[in-house]
Amino acid sequence: MSAGAEASSVRLQRLLSLVPWIAANDGPTIDEITARFGITPSQLAADLEVVWLVGLPPYTPDALIDVVQEGDRVWIHFADVFSAPQRLTPDQAVALLSAGASVLALPGADLDGALAGGVAKLAAVLGVDAAQVLDVDLGGAAAEVLDVLRTAVRDRRRVHLDYYSYGRDTRTERDVDPYVVHAEDGSLYLLGHCHLAGAERRFRVDRIAAATMLEDRFEPPVDATVARIFQPDADDPRVVLRLAPAARWVTEAYPVESAVESPDGSVEVTLAIAAVPWLERLLVNLGPDAAVVRAPDDLAHVGRRAAARILARYR
Amino acid sequence: MSAAKLERLLNLTALLLDTPRPITADQIRSQLEVYPSDEAAFRRAFERDKDELRSMGIPLRVEKVPGTMPAIDGYRIPREEYALRDPGLTTAELAALHLAASAVQVEGLPATEGLLKLGGIVADGSTSDLGIHVAPLPADPNLAILFAAVSARHAVTFRYNDEDRTVDPYRLDFQRGRWYLSGYDHARADERNFRLDRIASAVESGGGSTFAPPETTVPGRARGAWELGAEEPVRAVVRIEGPAVRWAVQHLGPDQVRSVDDAAIVELPVTNRAAFRSFVLSFLEHAEVLEPADLRAEIVEWLESIA
């Protein structure tokens, strides 16, 4: 990028960090400076030309910042006024501490390593105890499971999973080719090819009780993108529910196949049902905010029957 | 941007950082010699320059010049408010921060500028990535101001659930995909949690006196939706059995699990009864609320309305 094309604030920000850094380091090389500050040599040259003309009244040579270049090394002298970079703004502090805190909160994170040290030092200059003021949870997992999955993804090795399927309320064992571990909406997911299902599946990592790496290797698809949670089967039964306004969140949380609005704020949705316990949970959760409008005979009273079963415990 | 403007802004910053006493706009104009001579044009240019510096978070203060009568406005940048104390990061620590910041981003809050202030982008040869793809964390317009208030220990005011609140902000949590603020609610004289996306106004930070840090210790574990509400806290006891037990125990953490055989007895702090109900019912007939009696009765009433 040519030096002239950058926004003023970007260049100014950079110079307020660049000058103190070069001044504090004894003749860093152009390569190191451009790498650290993400600029090209020509951008650096243009920046240093401006720095030449910066100083204090009366702006005589002895009152200007001195930039010396010898070979590929650069020195900055007489820049005492810029001996320190600007403090982090709250935005910048939040961005960095959140990133650090979230990685440190991952199961199995090294709490004595470089990141922990860096976060602690950063927090100290910000005047906070990072652990006390900020907690970022990307999702749960058993540390050993997460460790196996990350290694398996990296090395492209198949894994054997002991998995609790929430939708079906069952535990299964399955072999999976792990494509990617993905963190979203406060949970960790494993996306991969499930050999039991014969198709791509997404698994909640915190429902994987155990994971072992197998010898087999695999080739991930070219674009192992993060797919939606749920690929409804054409043969799955469909249920139509009327949702009260309070239950509208269902349309955003689940892949409803259709949603018909009513003037009173309620909405009629069609859902594919892959497993009965999933529908039972949904209806019991929504309570009076959902009613079954249309369903195959065996699903029509699923909510009522589940509620009755649960009530039996309380009586 | 023109090199001339960049040079002027740098010289302005240097001048205001270096001066021990506030200096007037006229003094600035005569010292820098780069502003337009026309009074109005100078004022406009100077105002824009001040705005630009302030927009970067530079603490450009307006203070009365001592010894002037009537008092004249002067400007300076207090060095003690501007300068970053050197955190003393090693290359490895800086590289680790960069790695974390590349993997985990908060929407709309680039970490690059912060990293440049800390010494720039460095990569540690050993690990090139986290091994986990992280969706960007949602931003919130009040996130930065709340963090500043948490750091400075200043009370904040905001509108929440149709009520104006004054809160001592203790901590920010990102849980279950949302940002929460924990703090001491003055009106209720108790600690509460607030979802940032439900704060119905711009948060105002009180400034002035600071509050003492709370004594409550950090849970150090993931918190469920049932404990992230703003209701009066209640201690619930739940019995869980069946195929989901192992997952539930793993999920809830040891300090909430009272005993485990083929069933688990768990004790949960509840400040959000709807979320608690949702959690318990997700186990269908494999879970039962044992205590307290009124919460158990609420569950029964709910189920009776469906059955």
Side-chain angles (χ1 to χ4, degrees), chain B residues 46-305:
Chain B
F46 184 49
E47 285 306 310
R48 278 201 300 271
D49 284 355
K50 277 189 287 168
D51 285 345
E52 179 126 20
L53 294 186
R54 285 190 175 126
S55 74
M56 287 165 53
I58 292 178
L60 202 165
R61 304 276 177 241
V62 184
E63 296 167 7
K64 298 298 179 195
V65 178
T68 54
M69 192 77 73
I72 311 175
D73 278 343
Y75 307 90
R76 71 180 190 107
I77 299 171
R79 188 175 189 75
E80 67 279 7
E81 291 176 39
Y82 169 88
L84 176 70
R85 250 174 49 218
D86 185 1
L89 295 167
T90 64
T91 313
E93 288 166 345
L94 189 54
L97 282 170
H98 172 233
L99 181 61
S102 304
V104 184
Q105 282 152 31
V106 182
E107 254 170 17
L109 294 188
T112 321
E113 292 152 13
L115 284 169
L116 292 191
K117 289 176 175 177
L118 296 173
I121 313 290
V122 295
D124 193 334
S126 55
T127 28
S128 55
D129 76 72
L130 190 64
I132 297 178
H133 174 265
V134 180
L137 309 187
D140 188 280
N142 288 311
L143 185 59
I145 187 174
L146 282 171
F147 181 76
V150 167
S151 308
R153 293 215 285 276
H154 284 147
V156 290
T157 55
F158 51 87
R159 195 149 181 84
Y160 196 84
N161 285 352
D162 295 320
E163 202 184 310
D164 290 321
R165 314 282 184 124
T166 304
V167 174
D168 291 342
Y170 291 165
R171 52 184 292 112
L172 287 164
D173 286 282
F174 183 78
Q175 292 274 352
R176 312 169 61 80
R178 298 191 205 282
W179 286 103
Y180 294 85
L181 169 73
S182 294
Y184 181 84
D185 185 327
H186 287 200
R188 286 162 179 73
D190 199 7
E191 199 171 324
R192 288 287 187 270
N193 295 297
F194 305 92
R195 258 174 64 168
L196 263 63
D197 60 352
R198 290 205 176 131
I199 292 177
S201 67
V203 168
E204 310 244 317
S205 185
S209 60
T210 59
F211 56 85
E215 285 150 24
T216 47
T217 49
V218 176
R221 53 165 173 76
R223 297 200 280 162
W226 58 87
E227 55 187 318
L228 289 168
E231 299 165 14
E232 192 69 38
V234 152
R235 203 128 203 104
V237 180
V238 182
R239 182 190 162 91
I240 306 176
E241 314 131 355
V245 169
R246 197 170 159 187
W247 166 70
V249 166
Q250 211 173 66
H251 188 65
L252 292 173
D255 57 316
Q256 295 192 95
V257 179
R258 262 205 218 158
S259 68
V260 194
D261 264 321
D262 47 353
I265 309 289
V266 303
E267 200 169 296
L268 305 175
V270 175
T271 53
N272 183 333
R273 290 162 100 100
F276 173 73
R277 179 185 65 225
S278 185
F279 175 70
V280 170
L281 293 179
S282 71
F283 293 96
L284 296 173
E285 69 272 28
H286 303 302
E288 182 185 341
V289 178
L290 300 176
E291 294 165 30
D294 64 321
L295 203 43
R296 191 183 154 95
E298 267 180 41
I299 302 280
V300 170
E301 200 180 313
W302 179 266
L303 290 168
E304 281 172 349
S305 76

Side-chain angles (χ1 to χ4, degrees), chain A residues 240-265:
Chain A
V240 179
L241 301 179
R242 169 161 235 99
L243 303 173
R248 293 183 63 92
W249 59 267
V250 171
T251 62
E252 285 159 51
Y254 301 113
V256 299
E257 294 187 349
S258 72
V260 179
E261 304 276 344
S262 290
D264 64 356

Side-chain angles (χ1 to χ4, degrees), chain A residues 58-304:
Chain A
Y59 305 106
T60 47
D62 59 315
L64 292 174
I65 296 177
D66 194 22
V67 181
V68 174
Q69 190 171 334
E70 247 170 65
D72 66 341
R73 293 176 69 184
V74 180
W75 287 261
I76 285 182
H77 304 298
F78 309 122
D80 292 349
V81 69
F82 294 125
S83 61
Q86 185 200 349
R87 278 190 189 174
L88 266 59
T89 62
D91 270 358
Q92 292 160 356
V94 161
L96 280 173
L97 280 187
S98 297
S102 62
V103 174
L104 288 173
L106 284 172
D110 181 2
L111 300 178
D112 294 314
L115 181 61
V119 168
K121 286 179 179 176
L122 175 58
V125 304
L126 293 171
V128 297
D129 177 345
Q132 292 293 323
V133 302
L134 185 65
D135 188 21
V136 180
D137 182 20
L138 294 178
E144 327 78 64
V145 167
L146 187 58
D147 201 42
V148 166
L149 293 180
R150 284 157 97 173
T151 311
V153 167
R154 185 194 69 203
D155 296 345
R156 298 178 177 177
R157 285 173 63 179
R158 190 165 300 160
V159 291
H160 181 79
L161 305 179
D162 175 357
Y163 185 70
Y164 168 66
S165 168
Y166 188 74
R168 292 169 202 280
D169 196 25
T170 51
R171 270 178 64 182
T172 52
E173 305 224 0
R174 38 181 96 210
D175 288 351
V176 174
D177 295 340
Y179 297 161
V180 64
V181 176
H182 177 73
E184 186 165 13
D185 284 344
S187 293
L188 294 172
Y189 297 92
L190 170 70
L191 178 73
H193 178 87
C194 174
H195 290 273
L196 183 65
E200 199 171 278
R201 284 289 182 268
R202 196 164 92 154
F203 302 91
R204 276 271 294 261
V205 178
D206 62 352
R207 293 185 193 135
I208 300 174
T212 15
M213 220 157 23
L214 303 173
E215 288 302 318
D216 313 70
R217 292 182 186 260
F218 66 93
E219 266 310 307
V222 171
D223 58 349
T225 53
V226 180
R228 287 230 48 162
I229 188 172
F230 185 66
Q231 311 293 340
D233 200 350
D235 293 334
D236 286 342
R238 265 51 178 179
V239 161
V240 179
L241 301 179
R242 169 161 235 99
L243 303 173
R248 293 183 63 92
W249 59 267
V250 171
T251 62
E252 285 159 51
Y254 301 113
V256 299
E257 294 187 349
S258 72
V260 179
E261 304 276 344
S262 290
D264 64 356
S266 65
V267 59
E268 216 171 80
V269 298
T270 306
L271 286 160
I273 307 301
V276 171
W278 186 87
L279 179 61
E280 288 180 332
R281 282 196 188 95
L282 182 66
L283 292 174
V284 152
N285 191 357
L286 295 177
D289 290 335
V292 177
V293 172
R294 211 161 41 251
D297 290 339
D298 57 332
L299 291 181
H301 304 289
V302 145
R304 267 184 232 136

